[in-house]
Amino acid sequence: MPFIEQYTNQEQALLLWLARESVARGVYGKGVESLIECDVSVRLKKNRACFVTLKVNGQLRGCIGNLEANSSLVDAVVRNSYLAAFRDQRFQPVSEAELAVLEYEVSVLTPMVSLDIVSEADLLAKIRPGIDGLVFEAEGHRSTFLPSVWEQLTQSEEFLSQLRKKAGLAANYWSDNVQCWTYQVIKIGAPISDPC
C-alpha cells in the first residue's frame, strides 16, 4: 500500500460517531457545521479521501465518497455521511425510523495508483481480488468499486463488467484510451459510542 495509517480505537469511534451524528442531524433538519466539538488528532486532520457506506440488516442503504483527498478526514466523513443518507440517487432519504437500525462503515482510501495497461487481459492480470478498489475511466465516463465489492463480485471479469456498466458503458467496452487506477482502503466499522 502507498500508505497505511493506524487509527486508534478512539479515532475510529470518533469517525463512526461523526457519521452517525451527521445523519441524525440531517434527519432532524439540523446543520453539521459545529459537529466537531472535541479534540481531533493530527491523523484525522490530514486530507484523505473516503467513502461512507450505510447499511440496514447488512443490505446497502447508501454509499457516497470522494476519490480525491481534498479535505480533512473528519470533514470528509461528515460530508459523505450526510450525502450517503440524503443524496444517494438509488435510495429515498433516510427516515427517523431507520436511525436505530443503520450500520455505518467508513473506508479511508489510500492514494490512487495509475495502472500502466495495454489490454483488458493486462488489466485483469493486475487487479487483485479482495484487495484493490478500481477506478475505470473512458470517454468521459468514470466509476469506481471499493474493495468490499469483491465480496459480491468475486471474479475479476464480472467485477470489471459491472464497473463498466456502472460507468454507463457497455459491459464489454474496451479501447486504447481506457485509464485505470487502483487503491486500497482502511475499513472502519464497529459499535458506536460517544467518543468525546
Side-chain angles (χ1 to χ4, degrees):
M1 285 190 189
F3 84 92
I4 184 73
E5 289 186 327
Q6 300 295 318
Y7 296 105
T8 67
N9 289 341
Q10 185 174 7
E11 289 169 334
Q12 292 182 45
L14 174 59
L15 293 174
L16 292 168
W17 179 82
L18 287 171
R20 181 189 69 192
E21 287 298 307
S22 298
V23 174
R25 289 187 184 201
V27 164
Y28 295 118
K30 299 178 181 177
V32 296
E33 297 78 20
S34 62
L35 189 53
I36 303 166
E37 297 173 350
C38 54
D39 289 333
V40 176
S41 70
V42 172
R43 277 185 299 275
L44 300 187
K45 290 179 183 177
K46 289 182 181 177
N47 284 8
R48 292 287 180 250
C50 79
F51 276 71
V52 175
T53 303
L54 307 177
K55 295 181 181 180
V56 173
N57 295 323
Q59 298 299 308
L60 184 64
R61 182 58 182 86
C63 183
I64 298 282
N66 55 298
L67 292 167
E68 308 297 331
N70 50 21
S71 66
S72 72
L73 180 55
V74 288
D75 287 340
V77 167
V78 168
R79 179 183 64 247
N80 292 335
S81 301
Y82 181 89
L83 293 174
F86 305 106
R87 297 287 189 269
D88 189 326
Q89 301 285 330
R90 300 168 291 182
F91 302 97
Q92 291 294 315
V94 166
S95 67
E96 182 178 359
E98 292 176 291
L99 289 177
V101 295
L102 276 179
E103 304 156 24
Y104 299 82
E105 184 177 281
V106 175
S107 297
V108 184
L109 277 60
T110 64
M112 293 191 297
V113 175
S114 179
L115 289 179
D116 184 21
I117 49 175
V118 295
S119 67
E120 180 176 353
D122 188 28
L123 172 59
L124 290 170
K126 288 181 176 174
I127 55 176
R128 299 172 298 171
I131 297 171
D132 291 330
L134 183 65
V135 177
F136 186 93
E137 185 174 303
E139 294 185 25
H141 298 264
R142 188 182 209 199
S143 63
T144 190
F145 276 154
L146 295 171
S148 60
V149 174
W150 289 106
E151 295 167 15
Q152 287 82 41
L153 304 173
T154 58
Q155 300 301 313
S156 298
E157 294 82 0
E158 181 67 9
F159 186 90
L160 182 56
S161 293
Q162 293 301 319
L163 184 56
R164 289 184 283 214
K165 286 171 66 174
K166 182 181 178 188
L169 300 164
N172 63 349
Y173 175 88
W174 190 261
S175 87
D176 291 339
N177 297 322
V178 165
Q179 292 184 287
C180 292
W181 297 262
T182 58
Y183 58 87
Q184 294 79 46
V185 300
I186 301 159
K187 192 188 303 188
I188 299 168
I192 304 167
S193 58
D194 188 338
C196 296

